[in-house]
Amino acid sequence: MQDTELSNPFSARNICQTLLNQGYLSKSQTKELLQKKNVLDRKLENLRNQPGGHSATLVEVIGGLNMSRADDPKKPVDEEIIYEALAADWEMPYRKIDPLKLDMKVVTTTIPRNFAKKHLILPISLDDGHLTLATSQPLSDMEMEDIVRAVNMKVDPVVCTRNDILKLIDEFFGFQKSIKAAEHQFSGPSVDLGNLEQYINLKDVSASDQHIVTAVNHMLSYAFDQRASDIHIEPKREESMVRMRIDGVLHVVYNLPKNIHNAAVSRIKTMSRLNMAEKRRPQDGRIKADKGGQEVEIRVSTIPVAFGEKVVMRVMDPDVLFQDLENLGFSATDLDRYTRFIKMPHGIVLVTGPTGSGKSTTLYSTLRTISSPEINITTVEDPIEMIHEEFNQIGVQPAIDVTFSNILRNILRQDPDVIMIGEMRDLDTASNAVQAALTGHLVLSTLHTNDAPTSVTRLLDLGLPAYLIQSTLIGIIAQRLVRRICNYCRAPFEMNLEQLTEMGIYLDRQGTLELYQGKGCHRCRGTGYLGREGIYEVLPYTEGIRQLTTSDTNLDALSRKAREEGMVTLRDNAVEKMLKGITTYQEVMRVTWEEFSLTE
């Protein structure tokens, strides 16, 4: 019995000894685990009785206990750490698979699905006749011979987690099976070059086909797993490209056969209740989907391009849109100022920044913060980003004359306390917002300006009289999003301050400075960044700023006054986050490039 346990790489004794030797568990933790061996065995038996759990090992059981690491109590002893430790003990390289870097053809055509699932292996790359093969356990000589014989090339095994391998086998083989079946169904002599050249289709596309349904479902699930904010389906001449935006950067995920593009688009249109027959005009819709037991809304936009219809799906995750204001990235001072803005009984608060700067997250999080049974909140949006039952939300519909300016006149009869306007884009909307603020309502809205002081001149450019701005404006915030340094591979480095000065980052010190950067690891896909955080410029509309607001306001004077009164600029806020090790100097320069260009 003892020999059997020692020869089993997944025995409790071997796993605990390996974790102890590498410093992930303390002696007391190891002793405690081994004393619970019977409990662990029962949990393993229950896990193996679950669907797809027949190949489970004690690694999954121990990883699910959420024990704190001895070397870093803030991090858990999870499945990845255990496999990484076992890989070192087996003298094999450990690899965290990045699905975005996998070649679907290599994964799905090198080894049959049944063979891959039986041996828990997954081809992950092919380079110069060498196949890199992911496995969750040491392969016997006989297994290696079978694999080499099957692929007819040299094989380099690397260790990955069992759950990653199983999940990717199901995802990639399942998606490829659906795509192949759909490609076969829609193959034939039909020619369709989309909106460049339109030929007669000899075969109708059925969006109800199960293969297309499965393929689209796979695509959405994959986007959720990868934390994608947007999914782009772009028709090209020979194929259809699928890209996903993750942490603000687009990644090519799939290249689909062109002849199933229309079927996939039709399926998405069906889900979002769009007109499948209309391919010449842009359309907007929405899908409500399930993400791990939580409802997620997907905003769908279609538009005709050269080779067909392009579809963009924006994933509206409530975990992202509805956050505590403290978690958005405000400094303590700026948070205190902004909190005072939104506690005012009436007036206008503006949130500014370009598309994709996080304005919707700030506004929705603000509305949820101030929401209560005693307050009536009404929003006017184009389109409604995320439906929330605590708000009365109105979607703009220009076709039936439901516009920002028109609907605002009717909202005031609905006894609102707080009004959120998606965007002040013309004089009518701005004028009605001012009237709402003058009659005792708190109005939140957005403007597309690069910084907070420019918003004042933007309102004047729209045609609002200076005295109305002086009477209603409470405060303005400008914002951007910077990528956060990955906490798993974050490391310090020394940088000469002269280099920063040459880049336009000025600090009142000399010599060298300790900054941080991400080395790149499997969790951040080698980018060194994981997640994003806001940087802010909060401008209270003080008496000093009010006096400078005239029909011929000088923007430079306004900006100087704002800084004199303590406004921290976007660049200074970004530099502060750089010094705290939250982001990098590269992100500071990328996101606040407008301010750098102004100072050169």
Side-chain angles (χ1 to χ4, degrees):
M1 180 70 179
Q2 187 72 12
D3 292 341
T4 303
E5 185 176 2
L6 290 174
S7 63
N8 176 13
F10 296 117
S11 69
R13 187 169 297 278
N14 276 335
I15 294 173
C16 288
Q17 189 62 48
T18 299
L19 293 173
L20 175 63
N21 293 342
Q22 298 189 30
Y24 294 122
L25 286 183
S26 64
K27 288 184 179 179
S28 60
Q29 286 176 308
T30 303
K31 183 178 180 181
E32 182 183 353
L33 264 182
L34 291 175
Q35 288 174 345
K36 295 179 179 178
K37 185 179 180 303
N38 291 336
V39 176
L40 297 178
D41 288 339
R42 283 198 299 273
K43 288 188 175 183
L44 177 60
E45 185 178 353
N46 292 335
L47 186 60
R48 285 179 171 172
N49 289 332
Q50 295 177 8
H54 63 279
S55 60
T57 67
L58 281 174
V59 172
E60 289 75 43
V61 175
I62 296 174
L65 297 176
N66 290 319
M67 298 180 66
S68 297
R69 282 170 48 174
D71 61 330
D72 189 348
K74 293 181 180 179
K75 297 179 181 178
V77 179
D78 56 16
E79 187 182 355
E80 289 183 11
I81 285 294
I82 299 174
Y83 272 108
E84 193 171 342
L86 290 173
D89 192 52
W90 300 335
E91 297 183 348
M92 294 174 65
Y94 176 80
R95 179 83 61 84
K96 173 65 176 178
I97 305 175
D98 182 356
L100 295 177
K101 295 181 180 177
L102 293 183
D103 186 328
M104 182 174 289
K105 186 175 181 181
V106 172
V107 173
T108 58
T109 63
T110 310
I111 292 176
R113 177 177 184 166
N114 291 338
F115 189 86
K117 204 153 190 176
K118 176 183 177 183
H119 294 280
L120 275 183
I121 55 176
L122 185 75
I124 56 176
S125 66
L126 181 59
D127 187 29
D128 293 333
H130 283 256
L131 178 69
T132 302
L133 191 74
T135 176
S136 63
Q137 57 192 359
L139 297 169
S140 67
D141 293 340
M142 186 177 298
E143 287 174 322
M144 279 297 293
E145 288 176 8
D146 289 343
I147 294 168
V148 170
R149 195 180 304 114
V151 300
N152 195 26
M153 64 183 77
K154 294 180 180 178
V155 176
D156 300 321
V158 297
V159 176
C160 299
T161 67
R162 167 187 167 275
N163 283 334
D164 277 356
I165 293 175
L166 283 173
K167 184 177 181 181
L168 290 169
I169 287 175
D170 289 339
E171 283 184 355
F172 275 77
F173 280 96
F175 186 76
Q176 183 68 3
K177 181 180 178 182
S178 300
I179 293 299
K180 283 291 183 186
E183 184 181 12
H184 176 74
Q185 177 180 356
F186 300 118
S187 63
S190 64
V191 179
D192 181 6
L193 291 181
N195 293 301
L196 264 191
E197 307 167 42
Q198 195 73 36
Y199 284 67
I200 295 175
N201 262 332
L202 300 181
K203 185 169 186 178
D204 290 333
V205 172
S206 171
S208 63
D209 178 74
Q210 187 58 42
H211 304 305
I212 288 295
V213 171
T214 304
V216 172
N217 288 346
H218 270 296
M219 193 185 303
L220 294 178
S221 297
Y222 187 77
F224 296 157
D225 289 341
Q226 300 303 314
R227 302 179 298 108
S229 60
D230 299 88
I231 308 165
H232 295 236
I233 305 175
E234 306 171 4
K236 307 299 180 184
R237 184 180 291 274
E238 303 292 341
E239 62 186 10
S240 180
M241 181 188 294
V242 179
R243 298 193 292 171
M244 295 184 184
R245 190 178 297 277
I246 301 167
D247 288 340
V249 179
L250 278 172
H251 301 264
V252 177
V253 177
Y254 305 122
N255 287 306
L256 305 179
K258 181 62 184 293
N259 58 354
I260 70 166
H261 175 82
N262 286 345
V265 172
S266 294
R267 170 59 186 164
I268 293 167
K269 283 184 169 183
T270 300
M271 295 168 69
S272 52
R273 298 181 181 179
L274 298 181
N275 183 354
M276 285 193 293
E278 180 56 76
K279 300 182 179 182
R280 300 166 300 168
R281 292 190 178 93
Q283 296 188 69
D284 292 306
R286 60 198 321 121
I287 300 169
K288 191 176 285 289
D290 176 75
K291 176 190 172 186
Q294 184 181 40
E295 282 189 355
V296 173
E297 290 199 25
I298 302 170
R299 205 174 73 199
V300 180
S301 172
T302 68
I303 195 167
V305 294
F307 296 106
E309 280 186 285
K310 178 185 175 184
V311 178
V312 174
M313 294 182 280
R314 170 154 288 189
V315 181
M316 313 305 294
D317 190 339
D319 287 340
V320 175
L321 279 177
F322 298 105
Q323 299 186 46
D324 293 333
L325 294 179
E326 293 82 358
N327 298 331
L328 294 181
F330 284 103
S331 67
T333 302
D334 284 346
L335 178 61
D336 181 60
R337 287 177 172 174
Y338 184 60
T339 303
R340 287 205 298 269
F341 293 173
I342 62 177
K343 286 184 177 179
M344 297 293 286
H346 56 82
I348 296 175
V349 178
L350 296 175
V351 180
T352 75
T355 301
S357 59
K359 299 190 298 295
S360 295
T361 297
T362 299
L363 285 172
Y364 274 119
S365 299
T366 300
L367 292 180
R368 196 188 70 166
T369 299
I370 63 179
S371 176
S372 72
E374 294 81 26
I375 294 177
N376 176 14
I377 297 176
T378 303
T379 73
V380 189
E381 305 170 61
D382 182 19
I384 297 174
E385 300 268 0
M386 182 77 187
I387 295 174
H388 194 276
E389 62 182 16
E390 293 180 17
F391 315 147
N392 301 294
Q393 295 169 278
I394 302 166
V396 169
Q397 301 179 68
I400 56 173
D401 206 30
V402 179
T403 63
F404 281 118
S405 56
N406 289 346
I407 201 66
L408 274 171
R409 300 187 188 104
N410 295 281
I411 283 178
L412 296 182
R413 302 180 193 133
Q414 292 286 312
D415 187 30
D417 296 293
V418 178
I419 301 171
M420 194 271 275
I421 305 169
E423 182 185 350
M424 282 193 193
R425 56 179 64 167
D426 53 45
L427 178 58
D428 282 345
T429 305
S431 298
N432 282 299
V434 165
Q435 290 304 314
L438 288 172
T439 52
H441 304 87
L442 179 64
V443 180
L444 307 177
S445 188
T446 69
L447 273 179
H448 286 293
T449 60
N450 289 330
D451 57 28
T454 307
S455 299
V456 176
T457 58
R458 172 67 175 149
L459 291 176
L460 291 167
D461 291 341
L462 285 176
L464 277 180
Y467 73 90
L468 287 180
I469 299 173
Q470 294 170 345
S471 303
T472 55
L473 194 57
I474 297 172
I476 308 163
I477 70 168
Q479 67 178 90
R480 300 286 191 280
L481 292 174
V482 293
R483 290 184 290 175
R484 293 179 62 96
I485 298 172
C486 174
N487 283 329
Y488 296 97
C489 60
R490 180 173 173 270
F493 72 98
E494 295 284 329
M495 188 165 188
N496 195 306
L497 282 168
E498 288 184 6
Q499 293 177 271
L500 288 176
T501 302
E502 290 172 2
M503 297 174 190
I505 301 176
Y506 304 102
L507 298 173
D508 292 331
R509 63 186 84 172
Q510 295 180 345
T512 59
L513 182 69
E514 184 179 81
L515 299 177
Y516 289 84
Q517 62 184 3
K519 293 180 178 179
C521 65
H522 55 267
R523 292 180 177 88
C524 64
R525 302 185 181 88
T527 63
Y529 299 100
L530 187 62
R532 292 189 290 175
E533 180 168 312
I535 59 170
Y536 299 91
E537 185 174 278
V538 181
L539 172 62
Y541 195 65
T542 61
E543 184 59 35
I545 302 295
R546 185 175 284 108
Q547 291 177 3
L548 291 174
T549 304
T550 61
S551 57
D552 56 349
T553 293
N554 184 291
L555 180 58
D556 290 337
L558 204 65
S559 298
R560 281 195 302 272
K561 185 65 175 178
R563 288 193 292 270
E564 288 172 7
E565 294 186 349
M567 183 192 78
V568 178
T569 66
L570 285 167
R571 181 173 62 177
D572 289 342
N573 190 223
V575 169
E576 185 180 333
K577 291 185 186 295
M578 175 193 75
L579 296 175
K580 290 181 178 179
I582 295 171
T583 191
T584 63
Y585 71 89
Q586 292 96 332
E587 279 293 284
V588 174
M589 297 184 65
R590 180 184 70 85
V591 174
T592 61
W593 64 269
E594 302 103 327
E595 293 190 51
F596 284 107
S597 61
L598 288 173
T599 57
E600 288 178 355

